[in-house]
Amino acid sequence: AQSVTQLDSHVSVSEGTPVLLRCNYSSSYSPSLFWYVQHPNKGLQLLLKYTSAATLVKGINGFEAEFKKSETSFHLTKPSAHMSDAAEYFCVVSDQDSSASKIIFGSGTRLSIRP
Amino acid sequence: GAVVSQHPSRVICKSGTSVKIECRSLDFQATTMFWYRQFPKQSLMLMATSNEGSKATYEQGVEKDKFLINHASLTLSTLTVTSAHPEDSSFYICSASGGWGTGELFFGEGSRLTVL
């Protein structure tokens, strides 16, 4: 069975400092993993995805994530936070070998940026 | 990337009326679309999976007669909230699958429903 756990419901960092949003997953199959960002009253935008290619995935807006199978983790990082990064972030896991309905959302992490 | 358009973005209605929300895939054909509900400061809750040309598959606890889903074409799915009540007020989001096996979803901008 699949599951995804976002370890922090809220992360607050100062502008210009690194960002780390943590995500752990479990999957019976070879997982695809995604990070989405949601700004207030908006839909979700894909930041990056892992689909069994390179384990270090680079996404938009300077974000990247590393797939670590041994740790079952897919943490999202950014070297230097910007005010515009303040949003809700969702880690998502899906099975590559099953239908798209087996997509599981994490509970979300709210990222706040201090000036 | 693929574009999914959702309309209306905001709707206010009186209790007892019905509201229709549209979800369109603008530049690709989506055989499967998903409808979610999101409460404030919470994650997305999958309500139903909409399959083109067949009945939608509802998640446990979601009332089929309350939330009518129609997916009559490969580019359009609609969610109708029937006899809306204040507790139905929420943010509703649709998404479309980017293709078999990839798992990637393309999301609409969401619809904020307020029932007075």
Side-chain angles (χ1 to χ4, degrees):
Chain A
Q2 296 166 287
S3 69
V4 57
T5 303
Q6 290 184 243
L7 297 160
D8 307 293
S9 59
H10 182 212
V11 170
S12 180
V13 302
S14 297
E15 188 176 20
T17 64
V19 175
L20 170 64
L21 304 183
R22 297 182 294 167
C23 174
N24 285 97
Y25 71 92
S26 67
S27 176
S28 302
Y29 303 95
S30 299
S32 291
L33 293 156
F34 308 82
W35 276 98
Y36 289 88
V37 60
Q38 183 183 31
H39 289 92
N41 293 310
K42 295 289 186 182
L44 277 66
Q45 179 186 18
L46 180 68
L47 280 177
L48 48 80
K49 62 181 177 182
Y50 165 78
T51 54
S52 77
T55 57
L56 182 61
V57 182
K58 293 187 183 298
I60 63 172
N61 301 335
F63 284 95
E64 61 182 41
E66 186 171 6
F67 173 71
K68 292 186 177 180
K69 187 174 182 179
S70 60
E71 299 177 10
T72 61
S73 68
F74 190 58
H75 301 334
L76 181 70
T77 61
K78 182 173 180 176
S80 176
H82 191 273
M83 294 300 291
S84 61
D85 295 328
E88 190 83 18
Y89 291 79
F90 293 98
C91 182
V92 178
V93 62
S94 77
D95 285 343
Q96 283 186 308
D97 297 325
S98 64
S99 72
S101 62
K102 302 290 186 184
I103 294 173
I104 306 296
F105 284 79
S107 55
T109 299
R110 182 165 60 91
L111 176 63
S112 300
I113 311 296
R114 301 187 299 271
Chain B
V3 177
V4 174
S5 172
Q6 193 172 336
H7 177 81
S9 57
R10 291 179 181 272
V11 57
I12 300 173
C13 70
K14 293 182 179 180
S15 186
T17 61
S18 294
V19 174
K20 180 185 285 188
I21 301 170
E22 294 186 346
C23 181
R24 294 180 185 273
S25 57
L26 297 186
D27 52 359
F28 68 104
Q29 293 182 330
T31 54
T32 304
M33 290 184 173
F34 305 91
W35 287 96
Y36 303 85
R37 185 172 180 176
Q38 186 178 33
F39 292 100
K41 301 185 187 300
Q42 293 190 26
S43 188
L44 280 69
M45 180 190 77
L46 180 65
M47 298 174 65
T49 302
S50 169
N51 301 296
E52 187 268 336
S54 64
K55 291 182 179 180
T57 303
Y58 289 81
E59 296 299 304
Q60 192 173 10
V62 178
E63 298 177 59
K64 301 178 182 180
D65 296 331
K66 176 73 169 178
F67 299 100
L68 300 179
I69 291 173
N70 183 280
H71 194 161
S73 78
L74 287 170
T75 59
L76 174 64
S77 176
T78 60
L79 168 68
T80 302
V81 182
T82 62
S83 187
H85 290 282
E87 57 265 31
D88 299 324
S89 299
S90 192
F91 195 56
Y92 294 89
I93 303 176
C94 73
S95 70
S97 173
W100 180 266
T102 67
E104 182 175 351
L105 296 174
F106 301 98
F107 289 85
E109 287 284 287
S111 299
R112 171 73 60 192
L113 170 63
T114 302
V115 184
L116 302 176

